Amino acid sequence: MAKKKLILIGGPMGVGKTTLGKYLVDHRLNQAVLLDGDWCWYMHPWIFNDENKKMVMRNSQFLLNSFIANSTIETIVFVWVMHQQAIIDDLLSGLEGDFTTDSFSLVANEAELTKRFSQDIASGKRKPADLPAAIQRLSLYESVDSTKIDVTGRDYPEVAQLILDQVAGTRE
């Protein structure tokens, strides 16, 4: 059996990680699955503390390990706000099996991120009060060991192709 491919896609809130992940799985990859780390955070009220952070990491690792072990899945696309290398390192440290990892960080200029975030606000997906934190996190991705993709002025098919070209290039 061929090695599984784990594609990590990080970036600030609102940059388009989930939409890109869905596009990749629905239109560009075969035998693929999408996991959004935010699904493991979906709770009310949302409580950001050490206990919940550890739980979300364990849950993400459990699901990723299940996908890695599944013989019908070739590629796992995992999207999450991974603005610190420690988050990626912690995530990967709990994974088992035969897989390769490609890590990407989606970034944008402030105007583009604001535009995308505003579309999410208009559709009810985000709150205006969260935009400053998303903008503030943009610079943190510079220190993450990942391929940076500036999505400013780019659509999902173009960004997806950049990712697929990079993943194919690392396999040769």
Side-chain angles (χ1 to χ4, degrees), residues 13-140:
M13 293 178 290
V15 78
K17 300 177 301 295
T18 302
T19 302
L20 175 63
K22 287 178 182 175
Y23 178 82
L24 280 164
V25 170
D26 290 345
H27 302 287
R28 300 301 307 273
L29 297 167
N30 292 314
Q31 294 180 272
V33 65
L34 171 66
L35 175 60
D36 187 331
D38 285 347
W39 298 337
C40 296
W41 270 115
Y42 197 83
M43 61 180 80
H44 183 76
W46 185 71
I47 300 170
F48 186 77
N49 62 24
D50 285 339
E51 177 185 13
N52 287 342
K53 285 178 10 183
K54 289 175 185 174
M55 176 194 67
V56 168
M57 183 61 72
R58 282 190 315 270
N59 290 345
S60 297
Q61 290 167 330
F62 174 82
L63 290 169
L64 286 168
N65 278 323
S66 296
F67 292 139
I68 292 167
N70 186 298
S71 65
T72 65
I73 296 170
E74 292 179 4
T75 305
I76 302 125
V77 178
F78 180 73
V79 300
W80 203 17
V81 176
M82 296 178 279
H83 60 289
Q84 298 169 333
Q85 187 61 41
I87 295 169
I88 296 170
D89 294 344
D90 191 17
L91 180 73
L92 294 176
S93 73
L95 301 184
E96 302 169 350
D98 195 16
F99 64 94
T100 60
T101 305
D102 289 284
S103 182
F104 299 90
S105 295
L106 304 184
V107 296
N109 64 32
E110 187 174 328
E112 179 76 15
L113 182 57
T114 300
K115 178 181 107 180
R116 290 173 179 231
F117 206 96
S118 297
Q119 291 169 342
D120 286 353
I121 292 169
S123 70
K125 288 169 52 176
R126 302 206 186 276
K127 297 175 187 166
D130 293 331
L131 177 58
I135 291 170
Q136 181 185 20
R137 283 195 171 141
L138 269 173
S139 64
L140 298 176

